[in-house]
C-alpha cells in the first residue's frame, strides 16, 4: 500500500490558523505486514537516526491500528520524504495525515477524507495545514465542536508557487511564544477584513487583489524578525512580479504565488539575491491525500 500527502503553506498572510493551500511536493510511505518491524527513510530525514527510533508516524499508526483491529501486527515502512522538516511546509501535518490514513488502509477500513481530517485534530489542533494536506487546493477552515468545517477552491494550472527555503529550521511551538498575548481591536479588525478579502480573491480568482489582501498584523513580522533576510525575500518577490508573498506557516520558508509566465523570472532573481537558500517552482496540488491500493 502507498499513501502520499502534499506539502502545505498555511496562514497566507492574515489568515492565522485558518487559511492554507497545498503544493506539489509529496511525502510517500509504502508499507506491508512483516515478520519484523522496520523503518527505512529516504530523502528528508534519512540521516536522522532519531526518526527511526522515535517516529511520530509509527506512534500514530500503531495507536489507530490497535484501536481499529484490537490486535498487534508488525509492518515494514519505507518513507520517501520530499517535504523539508521544520521549514513551514507542513511536514508534521503530512506525517499525521498519512499515519491515520495508513492505519485505516492496513485495517482494511474505508474512511472519508473528512473523517481522517477530524482524527488529525487530535494531534494538530490548528486546521490551516491539515485541511489542505487532506483536501488539496486552497482551503479556509474553522473548528466547531472538535470538527473541521472547511471550503475548498481548486487552484488553476496557470498559477505556480515559488518557495524560498532557508537553511534554518523554525519550530512552530517556539515561534508562537514570540507572538503578542493580545491584539488591539484595530489590528483584529484589520486582520479579519484582510482575511475575508484574501478568501474572496481566491474564490473569485481575482489574483491582482492578493498583494493588498494578504497583509498581516498578527504574526508575520514578529516571526520574520528571527530571520531578517525574509523581509528582503518578500521585497524581491514583489518587485519581480509575485501576486502575493507571505511567510509559509511559521517559517522559515517564504511562499509566493505567481502567474506561470512570471514564475521562472521571480525564481531566478531570488536565486541571485539569496544563493544560500533553496528556491523551487512548484505546481499547486488539488488532490491532497492520495491512497494507492
Amino acid at each position: 500500500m502507498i499513501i502520499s500527502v502534499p506539502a502545505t503553506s498555511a496562514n497566507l498572510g492574515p489568515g492565522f490558523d485558518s487559511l492554507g493551500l497545498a503544493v506539489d511536493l509529496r511525502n510517500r510511505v509504502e508499507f506491508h505486514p512483516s515478520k519484523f518491524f522496520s523503518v527505512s527513510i529516504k530523502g528528508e530525514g534519512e540521516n536522522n537516526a532519531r526518526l527511526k527510533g522515535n517516529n511520530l508516524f509509527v506512534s500514530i499508526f500503531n495507536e489507530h491500528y490497535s484501536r481499529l483491529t484490537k490486535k498487534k501486527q508488525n509492518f515494514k515502512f519505507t518513507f520517501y520524504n520530499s517535504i523539508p522538516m521544520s521549514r513551514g511546509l507542513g511536514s508534521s501535518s503530512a506525517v499525521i495525515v498519512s499515519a491515520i490514513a495508513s492505519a485505516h488502509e492496513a485495517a482494511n477500513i474505508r474512511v472519508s477524507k473528512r473523517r481522517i481530517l477530524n482524527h488529525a485534530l487530535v494531534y494538530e489542533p490548528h486546521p490551516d495545514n491539515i485541511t489542505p494536506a487532506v483536501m488539496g487546493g486552497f482551503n479556509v477552515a474553522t473548528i466547531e465542536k472538535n470538527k473541521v468545517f472547511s471550503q475548498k477552491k481548486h487552484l488553476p494550472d496557470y498559477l505556480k508557487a515559488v518557495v524560498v527555503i532557508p537553511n534554518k529550521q523554525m519550530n512552530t511551538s517556539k515561534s508562537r511564544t514570540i507572538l503578542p498575548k493580545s491584539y488591539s481591536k484595530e489590528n483584529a479588525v484589520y486582520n479579519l477584513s484582510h482575511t475575508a478579502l484574501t478568501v474572496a480573491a481566491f474564490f473569485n480568482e481575482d489574483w491582482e487583489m492578493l498583494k493588498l489582501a494578504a497583509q498581516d498584523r498578527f504574526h508575520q513580522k514578529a516571526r520574520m524578525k528571527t530571520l531578517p533576510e525574509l523581509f528582503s525575500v518578500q521585497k524581491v518577490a514583489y518587485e519581480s512580479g509575485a501576486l502575493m508573498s507571505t511567510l509559509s506557516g511559521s517559517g522559515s520558508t517564504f511562499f509566493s504565488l505567481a502567474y506561470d509566465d512570471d514564475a521562472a523570472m521571480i525564481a531566478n532573481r531570488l536565486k541571485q539575491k539569496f544563493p544560500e537558500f533553496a528556491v523551487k517552482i512548484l505546481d499547486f496540488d488539488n488532490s491532497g491525500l492520495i491512497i494507492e491500493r
Side-chain angles (χ1 to χ4, degrees):
M1 289 170 277
I2 303 173
I3 307 287
S4 68
V5 179
T8 52
S9 182
N11 298 324
L12 302 176
F16 187 61
D17 284 353
S18 58
L19 302 185
L21 50 76
V23 296
D24 191 19
L25 189 67
R26 285 183 168 266
N27 279 3
R28 293 170 51 240
V29 56
E30 298 181 9
F31 62 97
H32 58 79
S34 176
K35 185 175 180 180
F36 301 103
F37 164 78
S38 70
V39 170
S40 174
I41 300 174
K42 303 180 187 301
E44 294 287 334
E46 64 182 4
N47 296 320
N48 188 339
R50 185 178 60 83
L51 291 179
K52 294 183 179 181
N54 183 23
N55 190 289
L56 177 63
F57 176 99
V58 174
S59 175
I60 295 173
F61 177 94
N62 286 338
E63 179 183 335
H64 282 269
Y65 186 79
S66 297
R67 175 181 61 83
L68 294 166
T69 65
K70 311 300 181 188
K71 64 182 182 180
K72 292 186 177 181
Q73 166 70 55
N74 287 324
F75 288 87
K76 178 180 180 180
F77 299 100
T78 304
F79 299 93
Y80 301 89
N81 296 337
S82 296
I83 305 174
M85 295 179 173
S86 300
R87 296 294 203 285
L89 285 169
S91 59
S92 295
S93 291
V95 168
I96 292 166
V97 169
S98 60
I100 295 168
S102 296
H104 282 81
E105 283 299 303
N108 199 29
I109 295 175
R110 302 292 183 261
V111 65
S112 69
K113 284 190 172 184
R114 184 65 58 178
R115 181 70 65 85
I116 291 172
L117 179 56
N118 287 329
H119 280 311
L121 270 181
V122 174
Y123 312 96
E124 173 50 74
H126 311 292
D128 50 343
N129 272 311
I130 55 175
T131 306
V134 174
M135 301 297 183
F138 166 83
N139 290 259
V140 53
T142 190
I143 299 171
E144 285 288 341
K145 297 179 179 179
N146 297 317
K147 291 184 178 180
V148 179
F149 294 84
S150 63
Q151 292 289 301
K152 171 185 173 180
K153 168 66 177 177
H154 186 285
L155 294 170
D157 292 340
Y158 61 77
L159 294 178
K160 301 294 180 188
V162 180
V163 293
V164 177
I165 308 172
N167 48 13
K168 177 183 177 182
Q169 294 186 339
M170 284 191 181
N171 180 281
T172 301
S173 298
K174 288 183 179 179
S175 75
R176 286 182 179 272
T177 65
I178 65 175
L179 301 181
K181 301 295 184 186
S182 61
Y183 298 92
S184 68
K185 182 190 292 185
E186 179 186 0
N187 285 344
V189 171
Y190 183 95
N191 261 54
L192 176 63
S193 62
H194 281 73
T195 300
L197 190 59
T198 298
V199 173
F202 267 95
F203 276 86
N204 291 325
E205 301 190 0
D206 186 359
W207 313 117
E208 306 293 335
M209 180 66 72
L210 286 173
K211 182 177 180 180
L212 182 150
Q215 298 179 84
D216 165 75
R217 291 184 180 176
F218 269 20
H219 71 102
Q220 197 162 257
K221 185 177 291 185
R223 286 168 162 170
M224 288 167 66
K225 284 180 179 178
T226 65
L227 189 61
E229 297 97 317
L230 295 178
F231 291 99
S232 298
V233 169
Q234 185 181 48
K235 184 174 184 290
V236 170
Y238 275 135
E239 289 175 347
S240 303
L243 295 164
M244 71 182 295
S245 189
T246 58
L247 189 66
S248 186
S250 61
S252 56
T253 293
F254 223 83
F255 161 82
S256 294
L257 183 145
Y259 291 123
D260 188 7
D261 292 344
D262 297 331
M265 180 182 68
I266 295 169
N268 286 335
R269 288 187 178 175
L270 288 166
K271 288 177 183 177
Q272 291 170 5
K273 292 283 187 179
F274 309 97
E276 70 277 22
F277 297 162
V279 180
K280 296 179 182 289
I281 300 173
L282 301 171
D283 292 327
F284 289 102
D285 179 279
N286 289 297
S287 300
L289 168 67
I290 294 177
I291 300 171
E292 300 175 38
R293 299 184 176 95

